[in-house]
Amino acid sequence: MFERYQGGESAILVHVNFADDSEREDLEELELLTDSAGVTTCAVLTGSRSSPQPKFFIGTGKVDELAALVQMHQADVVIFNHSLSPAQERNLEREVKCRVLDRTGLILDIFAQRARTHEGKLQVELAQLRHLSTRLVRGWTHLERQKGGIGLRGPGETQLETDRRLLRDRIKYIQKRLEKVSRQREQGRRARKRNEIPTLSLVGYTNAGKSTLFNRITQAGVYAADQLFATLDPTLRKVELPDAGSVILADTVGFIRHLPHDLIAAFKATLQETRDADLLLHVVDCADEQMRENIDEVNSVLEQIEADEVPVLMVFNKIDKLEQPSSRVELDEQGKPRAVWLSAQEALGIDGLLDALNQLLAGVMVEHRLILPPSASRLRSRLYAMNGIVNEAFGEQGEFVVDIRLQQADWHRLLKQEGEQLARFISD
């Protein structure tokens, strides 16, 4: 067998147009994915077929053409814009004499580069191992031989069987670690539920501008770039809204067409933030020619993770790239916001988004005037911590005269905890 290359700095891209719309992929998206992986594209091989060829996925004539391109450009890797079976990868590698990677493998490689947190690295490794478990025999005929030599003779386990066993053990270990992380996240979600803090989750197609919008609202400084899957690890920040009070905003991984099922399964703990959110902000690149297809793809993934029942506010981003940019808020039949048009990069329409969130999240507000004696300083401090005091003055006897404005739920919780003492301080 040939020596398999491990680097992958230069690539030949292969894109096939199929008659079936469900099998079609976007060539421009493959080029963006390749660029995001840090790989240089040497050439692109395109073709048309009614269905994939069982042995090579492409026809034998295209295989010869592909091998010639690899030889001409001295390419390190061939990247297919489709999902290949392990046998197809093995057969293609034997013919073109270099490493062959499919769309799923490319996305997994990008995720491996982007992972920063311990949880993110575990999730990516789990997805990679699941993908690798079906490809252990690919090009490695020596793995089928039994071990031999002094100290290695015994039950007759082949190297391939040993690798499979080690792979299963590693997958079980990672799953246990991720279950622990999932329990920790669940504790955080329960604490937010007890405190009745609404959670907003940014979702959308990759490179729609979610992280830029997240930074614009929270000033968090999260890494944002004009590339696919710039964000991988989820980030949560608290945001104060004038009427709705404190909310938690979550920036999540972007979705993509035909997102690998191994990734969806591996990122279950991360995507749980989306499923348990009170409101989803579906960020859309309105300047993208495939905007409608991207929206449908995100909705499909939301359905897969059982988040399709969560209320959604559409956020059409990047209006600065339109011929006539206009920030606005669209209302539904009940007069509630259903869509916001803005530019996170240029800070256009951000106030409209915040107003829309206030309308959607703010419940019935309670307003009271309280006369607090100096001995009630603890209660006064708590009202400040809840951002409930809108005005404060001193009375003639040294008491605090405070005007408060709280959500009805916060007020009832305060009454329940402070009891009759609080009721005595109400002067209106």
Side-chain angles (χ1 to χ4, degrees):
M1 286 295 291
F2 58 91
E3 192 67 27
R4 292 166 51 107
Y5 182 78
Q6 299 298 320
E9 282 84 7
S10 59
I12 306 293
L13 307 186
V14 180
H15 174 77
V16 181
N17 290 311
F18 291 102
D20 187 0
D21 289 340
S22 63
E23 296 287 340
R24 288 185 180 178
E25 299 289 359
D26 184 10
L27 177 57
E28 184 179 351
E29 188 172 83
L30 174 65
E31 293 173 343
L32 289 173
L33 283 169
T34 305
D35 184 63
S36 294
V39 178
T40 302
T41 300
C42 297
V44 178
L45 178 65
T46 59
S48 299
R49 292 188 63 88
S50 57
S51 62
Q53 201 252 28
K55 185 175 182 180
F56 296 114
F57 192 86
I58 54 178
T60 54
K62 286 292 181 182
V63 173
D64 295 338
E65 191 176 342
L66 179 60
L69 283 173
V70 170
Q71 185 68 27
M72 180 191 307
H73 296 280
Q74 292 297 299
D76 305 312
V77 62
V78 172
I79 302 176
F80 273 70
N81 196 19
H82 313 273
S83 294
L84 301 177
S85 69
Q88 287 169 340
E89 287 188 11
R90 183 175 65 250
N91 294 335
L92 284 164
E93 287 181 344
R94 186 180 296 120
E95 295 296 323
V96 301
K97 299 295 187 295
C98 81
R99 188 183 180 201
V100 174
L101 201 64
D102 67 355
R103 179 185 173 88
T104 300
L106 176 61
I107 293 174
L108 286 172
D109 182 79
I110 295 172
F111 271 55
Q113 294 181 43
R114 298 284 189 273
R116 294 292 180 268
T117 65
H118 178 62
E119 177 193 2
K121 291 176 181 178
L122 285 176
Q123 289 170 329
V124 172
E125 184 181 357
L126 178 59
Q128 287 179 318
L129 291 177
R130 284 173 170 166
H131 185 66
L132 179 64
S133 62
T134 61
R135 288 162 163 76
L136 276 179
V137 299
R138 193 184 64 187
W140 300 102
T141 54
H142 68 280
L143 294 182
E144 298 172 0
R145 295 196 297 269
Q146 290 185 354
K147 293 178 291 186
I150 297 175
L152 293 177
R153 301 184 185 94
E157 185 181 53
T158 65
Q159 183 65 49
L160 182 60
E161 290 168 342
T162 301
D163 288 349
R164 283 176 175 163
R165 176 170 50 78
L166 293 174
L167 206 61
R168 287 194 301 268
D169 293 343
R170 181 64 180 172
I171 288 175
K172 289 179 181 177
Y173 169 76
I174 294 176
Q175 285 175 330
K176 288 182 179 178
R177 296 291 298 272
L178 287 176
E179 285 173 5
K180 181 179 179 181
V181 173
S182 180
R183 288 194 297 270
Q184 292 171 343
R185 284 188 175 275
E186 185 61 33
Q187 289 175 353
R189 280 190 290 270
R190 284 201 298 266
R192 293 196 295 270
K193 291 290 184 183
R194 284 195 300 270
N195 294 329
E196 299 184 18
I197 300 179
T199 300
L200 314 180
S201 183
L202 291 169
V203 300
Y205 208 75
T206 181
N207 204 30
K210 295 183 295 300
S211 295
T212 304
L213 180 60
F214 183 84
N215 288 334
R216 183 66 66 182
I217 296 174
T218 66
Q219 307 298 319
V222 170
Y223 176 70
D226 186 17
Q227 58 182 198
L228 303 187
F229 298 118
T231 300
L232 182 56
D233 301 305
T235 306
L236 282 72
R237 291 289 187 275
K238 182 183 285 188
V239 180
E240 297 293 336
L241 298 176
D243 292 334
S246 299
V247 299
I248 299 296
L249 185 63
D251 187 20
T252 59
V253 62
F255 301 146
I256 197 170
R257 205 168 281 105
H258 299 154
L259 191 68
H261 291 290
D262 288 339
L263 275 179
I264 295 177
F267 281 76
K268 184 178 178 181
T270 300
L271 297 173
Q272 189 77 19
E273 299 288 351
T274 299
R275 193 169 70 179
D276 292 344
D278 297 283
L279 179 68
L280 300 181
L281 303 186
H282 184 167
V283 183
V284 180
D285 181 357
C286 63
D288 194 327
E289 295 179 355
Q290 295 188 326
M291 180 182 75
R292 177 49 55 188
E293 291 84 350
N294 294 347
I295 292 175
D296 293 340
E297 190 61 36
V298 171
N299 290 335
S300 174
V301 176
L302 290 176
E303 188 175 346
Q304 290 182 54
I305 64 175
E306 301 176 357
D308 51 323
E309 298 296 327
V310 181
V312 176
L313 174 65
M314 300 297 298
V315 180
F316 293 96
N317 189 26
K318 303 187 182 182
I319 61 171
D320 54 300
K321 294 186 177 181
L322 301 179
E323 292 183 1
Q324 296 180 338
S326 174
S327 60
R328 61 188 185 275
V329 178
E330 296 179 2
L331 305 178
D332 60 14
E333 295 78 5
Q334 287 78 36
K336 294 183 178 180
R338 68 179 179 187
V340 180
W341 294 73
L342 54 78
S343 170
Q345 185 70 38
E346 302 298 329
L348 298 174
I350 300 299
D351 290 340
L353 173 62
L354 297 179
D355 290 341
L357 293 178
N358 269 318
Q359 294 182 50
L360 291 172
L361 296 175
V364 179
M365 304 301 291
V366 175
E367 296 183 1
H368 285 296
R369 171 164 289 184
L370 305 181
I371 308 297
L372 301 178
S375 59
S377 58
R378 184 186 62 83
L379 175 59
R380 176 171 167 267
S381 298
R382 184 172 180 185
L383 288 170
Y384 267 112
M386 297 171 68
N387 293 316
I389 296 181
V390 295
N391 187 43
E392 182 180 57
F394 291 100
E396 296 180 357
Q397 305 298 322
E399 70 275 16
F400 299 102
V401 181
V402 295
D403 296 321
I404 66 168
R405 191 169 189 267
L406 291 170
Q407 288 191 51
Q408 191 175 56
D410 291 337
W411 173 251
H412 287 314
R413 184 168 65 249
L414 196 63
L415 277 175
K416 184 178 179 180
Q417 294 171 350
E418 297 296 336
E420 298 179 358
Q421 180 187 9
L422 177 60
R424 291 200 306 268
F425 297 147
I426 301 175
S427 66
D428 52 359

